[in-house]
Amino acid sequence: MFNLDNPSLLRSQAFINGDWCAAETQKTFAVENPATGAVIALVADLGIAETSRAITAAAKAQIGWAQTTAKARSQLLRSWFELLIQHQEDLAQILTLEQGKPLPEARAEIAYGASYIEWFAEEAKRIYGDVISPSTTDQRILVIKQPVGAVAAITPWNFPCAMLARKIAPALAAGCSIVAKPAAETPLSALALAFLAQQAGFPAGVVNIVTGTDSAAIGAELTGNPLVRKLSFTGSTAVGKQLIRQCAADVKRITLELGGNAPFIVLDDADLDAAVAGAVASKFRNAGQTCVCANRFYIQRSIYTEFGKKLAVAMEALSVGDGMDSGVNLGPLISSAAVKKVQALVDDALAKGARIGYQVKLDQKLFSQGYFYPPTLLLDVAPDAELTRQEIFGPVAALIPFDTDDEAIAMANNTEYGLAGYCFTRSATRIKQFSDKLEAGMVGVNTGIISNEMAPFGGIKQSGWGREGSHYSIEDYVNIKYLCENF
Ligand code: NAP
């Protein structure tokens, strides 16, 4: 099943204090290939005791790690980045087999994840303080930045490499240590990353990976243990709210990258071919399972029919299948539950008056063995259909017509989420209007792809707190200390 140049990258044990370890109970859990349903690995199923051990190790290691020079931390991060690039092909294969995305997309995710490590290798050296003018001549006011301490990270299954890299890299750059818990569906990419971190030479205890299926118990320890000074979470808004409540007990710092419900607005003066290309990139990447996926397409009425036709034609190029097969550009969903959820949302939209504009025909063999859903174009979706309120997290494009710009903005903002939004127009005035008025942490103008390591990724409203990537992200991993020196 795996055909790796370096088989050592495939780990089934957790990584604590520099050691690879089984669960104290010896329990394991199965990791499945969502394209086939086949079990591809049995991974250590840890609980509270091992999580606590990892936290103690991280807290101890952090003291020494914080005393290293920024240059030394930068060099280790750089070595880790280079190892990811060197092993990109193997890492991509592991990612595709556990997560399902097509191999070219998996390669791109490894490069994307690695780019955060490269970026923070550079940022490690640029964590600056301030010297502030005092009110008297016998004082000096200094502002220094210190690492927050040992941090915990909890990550989802949709980007098993990148979501972890963009937490671990700024944490290590700032002088923090980390205990990370990847999603139970996709622990193998995280463990491979930890193996390469070990190869790069990070001291024992600085990076720890806790694998397990009892996420509530592991999460309770990560949020409840006072040695953890900060939590960084990426996942659903529901779990994020639960973690806020848990972190309140000891006022733990918390960064949250939560769910989205991105509007994708096409105005009547847009370059329609560019808008269709942007729609395909935004909607169908990772089979529609990204937090910044276009979830609701608002198309101005005079171009609505033409846009729908062009999108249907573009969808004919979607080749659905096992991500390991060449030519495939859309893989399975993560689980049978995910397929059922998408089907229920489509059924609700159809019951409320939508019609199917186009649907990719799937090979029946795919249906019977993996968790596939056919890419679907829904036309004339009612503005109150359930899929306009919830993340679809599947390859379904829901088109809704509108008449005026104000109406589009009102519908786009009619959600508790505020992660990403997209707008296609050639008008400078409308670009300004939509950029200003869309309630989102990120707005793509005439593009469907917005994520990169130099930009601040994150949301407003119920999509989260804080930013990942860019120089802003480091701020989440440092405390500001003000020194008032009297002479
Ligand atoms: P999820 O169910 O919230 O799970 C995310 C992580 O939290 C997993 O590691 C999960 O572990 C863990 N978890 C679940 N319940 C927990 C609890 N009670 N305490 C502690 N940890 C717990 O989300 P998902 O379905 O994996 O991921 C999809 C969601 O992530 C979507 O809403 C998507 O929009 C969001 N997301 C957001 C961003 C962003 O940057 N804003 C990026 C990617 C994804 P187990 O899986 O092992 O239970």
Side-chain angles (χ1 to χ4, degrees):
M1 183 181 313
F2 289 94
N3 182 17
L4 304 176
D5 285 340
N6 184 352
S8 303
L9 286 165
L10 188 60
R11 320 296 303 189
S12 59
Q13 294 189 314
F15 187 60
I16 298 177
N17 203 20
D19 292 327
W20 295 95
C21 40
E24 288 179 9
T25 57
Q26 301 302 314
K27 266 175 43 187
T28 59
F29 63 98
V31 179
E32 273 187 7
N33 177 349
T36 62
V39 172
I40 56 170
L42 293 174
V43 172
D45 197 354
L46 272 49
I48 293 175
E50 301 92 331
T51 306
S52 169
R53 193 150 55 79
I55 293 169
T56 304
K60 201 165 160 213
Q62 195 271 330
I63 296 165
W65 181 241
Q67 284 165 7
T68 57
T69 61
K71 188 167 181 176
R73 295 198 294 276
S74 168
Q75 282 167 343
L76 281 173
L77 282 163
R78 179 82 208 176
S79 304
W80 190 29
F81 158 74
E82 281 163 6
L83 285 168
L84 258 75
I85 297 301
Q86 196 182 321
H87 294 283
Q88 182 177 14
E89 208 50 42
D90 280 352
L91 294 170
Q93 194 188 125
I94 292 171
L95 207 169
T96 292
L97 283 167
E98 69 174 347
Q99 200 275 339
K101 67 183 61 176
L103 204 48
E105 266 191 49
R107 284 188 197 109
E109 183 183 334
I110 302 304
Y112 173 57
S115 74
Y116 283 93
I117 301 174
E118 182 187 38
W119 172 266
F120 287 108
E122 293 153 5
E123 287 300 297
K125 295 180 283 186
R126 300 192 188 111
I127 302 172
Y128 302 129
D130 274 314
V131 182
I132 297 174
S133 292
S135 57
T136 60
T137 52
D138 57 355
Q139 269 191 354
R140 189 160 64 172
I141 296 175
L142 302 176
V143 176
I144 61 169
K145 293 189 180 164
Q146 296 183 308
V148 297
V151 306
I154 301 178
T155 52
W157 48 263
N158 60 347
F159 288 88
C161 166
M163 296 302 102
L164 197 61
R166 71 185 194 189
K167 295 186 189 310
I168 299 184
L172 300 188
C176 300
S177 58
I178 195 157
V179 179
K181 192 212 83 72
E185 293 89 341
T186 56
L188 302 178
S189 295
L191 294 172
L193 253 56
F195 175 73
L196 293 178
Q198 188 182 29
Q199 302 289 302
F202 288 102
V206 168
V207 177
N208 306 274
I209 307 285
V210 172
T211 50
T213 51
D214 193 349
S215 49
I218 295 171
E221 181 62 21
L222 291 175
T223 51
N225 190 318
L227 292 176
V228 175
R229 296 297 171 82
K230 174 199 165 66
L231 171 72
S232 178
F233 171 73
T234 299
S236 61
T237 297
V239 173
K241 287 179 185 178
Q242 173 67 30
L243 295 172
I244 293 172
R245 285 190 283 271
Q246 290 173 207
C247 284
D250 62 358
V251 197
K252 219 182 275 309
R253 284 180 68 167
I254 180 163
T255 300
L256 298 166
E257 296 287 352
L258 306 177
N261 182 4
F264 188 106
I265 301 163
V266 187
L267 299 171
D268 53 9
D269 63 352
D271 174 339
L272 275 201
D273 292 324
V276 167
V280 170
S282 171
K283 180 71 250 182
F284 297 108
R285 191 168 61 111
N286 202 13
Q289 303 169 111
T290 85
C291 51
V292 291
C293 260
N295 207 55
R296 301 166 287 153
F297 287 88
Y298 296 117
I299 315 297
Q300 201 146 20
R301 203 172 299 275
S302 60
I303 53 159
Y304 179 79
T305 305
E306 194 186 352
F307 180 85
K309 281 186 186 155
K310 280 180 179 270
L311 184 54
V313 170
M315 286 172 66
E316 287 171 14
L318 295 173
S319 170
V320 182
D322 186 327
M324 293 299 289
D325 292 343
S326 69
V328 165
N329 55 22
L330 198 137
L333 301 189
I334 193 68
S335 64
S336 60
V339 175
K340 282 195 194 106
K341 184 198 150 191
V342 174
Q343 186 60 59
L345 289 173
V346 169
D347 289 345
D348 171 78
L350 294 174
K352 288 179 177 150
R355 52 197 175 87
I356 293 185
Y358 179 74
Q359 191 165 50
V360 173
K361 297 229 175 332
L362 286 196
D363 177 352
Q364 279 309 311
K365 198 165 147 243
L366 286 179
F367 268 131
S368 59
Q369 59 187 22
Y371 309 130
F372 291 91
Y373 193 85
T376 303
L377 171 63
L378 290 179
L379 298 173
D380 304 340
V381 172
D384 67 340
E386 198 51 41
L387 52 62
T388 67
R389 284 200 270 261
Q390 283 186 38
E391 285 184 293
I392 302 171
F393 249 54
V396 176
L399 269 55
I400 300 168
F402 70 89
D403 293 303
T404 67
D405 291 13
D406 285 347
E407 190 193 349
I409 289 168
M411 286 200 291
N413 290 340
N414 185 21
T415 169
E416 68 265 30
Y417 295 106
L419 191 58
Y422 305 88
C423 172
F424 281 72
T425 173
R426 286 190 174 100
S427 152
T429 309
R430 288 169 120 186
I431 288 175
K432 174 153 187 348
Q433 190 194 15
F434 278 80
S435 302
D436 287 351
K437 292 189 176 168
L438 283 179
E439 294 172 358
M442 301 171 280
V443 176
V445 178
N446 294 325
T447 178
I449 296 289
I450 53 175
S451 314
N452 57 62
E453 74 279 17
M454 17 352 219
F457 191 103
I460 60 170
K461 294 161 81 176
Q462 293 192 27
S463 289
W465 291 339
R467 293 294 178 270
E468 291 194 320
S470 80
H471 68 90
Y472 297 104
S473 167
I474 285 277
E475 300 301 326
D476 284 335
Y477 293 91
V478 293
N479 288 325
I480 287 177
K481 186 182 274 178
Y482 148 52
L483 308 173
C484 183
E485 296 181 349
N486 229 52
F487 302 99

